[in-house]
Amino acid sequence: MSVSVFIDGAAGTTGLEIRERLAGRPEIDLITLADSDRKSAKKRAQALNSAQFVILCLPDDAAREAVGLVTNSMTRIIDASTAHRVAEGWTYGFPELEPAQAGLIAEAPRVANPGCWPTGFLALVRPLVRAGLIPANWPLTASGASGYSGGGKSMIAEFEDGAEKTGFRAYGLTLDHKHLPEMQKHARIEHPPIFQPAVANAYRGMLIEVPLPLHALPRKPSPTQIEQALADAYRDSPIVRVLPTEGTGLVRLEEDAATDRLSIRVFGNADHGQVRLIATLDNLGKGAAGAAVQNLNIMAGLDPTAGLVL
């Protein structure tokens, strides 16, 4: 038995990646619109209301509008925009976030797909807050770099048409990045982290880092305890993995590019009482399209990893 799916915004970067992951799957009946119908509110409304599952790959305001076009109780929505990630009535679509999160997603009528940066940050921080190793009021920082495809068609054009000459550029310098509410709420911390994002001159892939002064934390955990807490949190996950760091001298931004997995490494110095937590993922994979397909699989009662590259 197949399930019907409509991707609203299928021509965008994330939409195309989702279509690629759904292509050829006999259990997926993909509803499509002709190019001439994509801007027709009537045609879109018909497609939205005829599908069992809708994936929104739209700007925030357009995503809110699309939700308003759904007038039946049958259609279940996955929103890949920022619009509903901290909204009431929406389930956060990070199955590995909490022990019961996948079950909540399976039953949810409305699921908000996580952002790529919050996915890496939360994967590193949330298990440690839950375990009491990081206090909820701790002043966290997060930094890293993403491939330029995360900025959509306009940023892709900047880098690929030669308008952008740099190999690395920092942004979010107002310390008010749109992902901060999502990061704070779902990590269950009292203050937003100092967030230091950057874009690298690479099409896809990303690296997120959270440093911790273990000697200053109330429980003074060791690097081994930090790594064990993360390993315990993701022990049964086919998608999030905690990798050994012995003999590893560097981590590349592209470590998990072109996949839908997420990798965690804990680099520690017990003598200094410090660790660097590093997550790598594909900003278009587990950071966007891969996450949406994983959520669709869970909601439809299918293999959670179907269509994913691991």
Side-chain angles (χ1 to χ4, degrees):
M1 181 177 178
S2 63
V3 296
S4 57
V5 179
F6 174 58
I7 306 168
D8 197 0
T13 306
T14 299
L16 290 170
E17 292 269 337
I18 292 171
R19 287 181 64 179
E20 182 179 312
R21 287 161 175 77
L22 298 182
R25 290 180 55 183
E27 73 275 31
I28 302 295
D29 177 15
L30 197 59
I31 297 171
T32 59
L33 289 178
D35 290 346
S36 58
D37 292 333
R38 286 178 183 158
K39 293 186 179 180
S40 166
K42 181 178 179 180
K43 294 288 187 180
R44 284 178 58 227
Q46 289 174 347
L48 287 163
N49 285 283
S50 65
Q52 292 171 275
F53 297 93
V54 165
I55 306 177
L56 305 179
C57 302
L58 303 166
D60 288 3
D61 287 343
R64 295 185 186 98
E65 178 188 32
V67 172
L69 293 175
V70 177
T71 57
N72 72 87
S73 59
M74 177 196 77
T75 299
R76 301 168 71 187
I77 301 174
I78 300 167
D79 182 11
S81 81
T82 313
H84 299 103
R85 292 175 185 163
V86 295
E88 292 296 324
W90 288 74
T91 299
Y92 195 58
F94 189 174
E96 298 84 5
L97 181 68
E98 307 286 355
Q101 198 70 20
L104 295 176
I105 292 167
E107 301 298 325
R110 303 285 184 266
V111 170
N113 220 47
C116 56
W117 286 108
T119 295
F121 174 78
L122 293 168
L124 296 172
V125 169
R126 177 58 196 150
L128 303 180
V129 174
R130 187 168 60 241
L133 297 174
I134 298 177
N137 65 351
W138 192 255
L140 288 161
T141 64
S143 63
S146 170
Y148 56 76
S149 56
K153 290 183 177 180
S154 60
M155 186 176 290
I156 292 171
E158 284 181 49
F159 278 86
E160 297 191 346
D161 294 349
E164 179 55 87
K165 305 295 186 183
T166 188
F168 181 97
R169 73 184 191 196
Y171 71 101
L173 302 177
T174 62
L175 301 179
D176 193 28
H177 194 281
K178 67 178 183 178
H179 287 331
L180 287 171
E182 178 184 356
M183 295 162 83
Q184 180 180 353
K185 176 177 178 177
H186 298 296
R188 303 190 188 182
I189 51 179
E190 295 180 12
H191 313 287
I194 297 176
F195 182 36
Q196 306 162 80
V199 178
N201 196 352
Y203 182 74
R204 63 195 306 156
M206 68 189 310
L207 182 154
I208 303 101
E209 178 170 356
V210 175
L212 291 176
L214 303 183
H215 59 80
L217 290 170
R219 291 174 59 176
K220 294 180 171 49
S222 68
T224 300
Q225 288 174 309
I226 294 291
E227 183 174 5
Q228 188 60 55
L230 290 167
D232 289 344
Y234 302 117
R235 186 177 306 282
D236 298 324
S237 173
I239 291 174
V240 181
R241 56 186 191 164
V242 179
L243 298 179
T245 57
E246 185 176 351
T248 303
L250 53 84
V251 180
R252 294 180 175 86
L253 177 142
E254 301 92 345
E255 292 281 342
D256 292 296
T259 78
D260 297 303
R261 63 178 181 255
L262 186 155
S263 300
I264 290 172
R265 296 172 174 87
V266 179
F267 293 91
N269 186 308
D271 292 337
H272 294 170
Q274 297 172 333
V275 294
R276 294 172 63 179
L277 311 178
I278 295 179
T280 53
L281 63 153
D282 188 338
N283 56 293
L284 297 178
K286 181 60 171 168
V293 171
Q294 182 186 0
N295 285 322
L296 170 66
N297 289 336
I298 292 170
M299 294 167 76
L302 304 172
D303 175 356
T305 64
L308 303 184
V309 176
L310 302 175

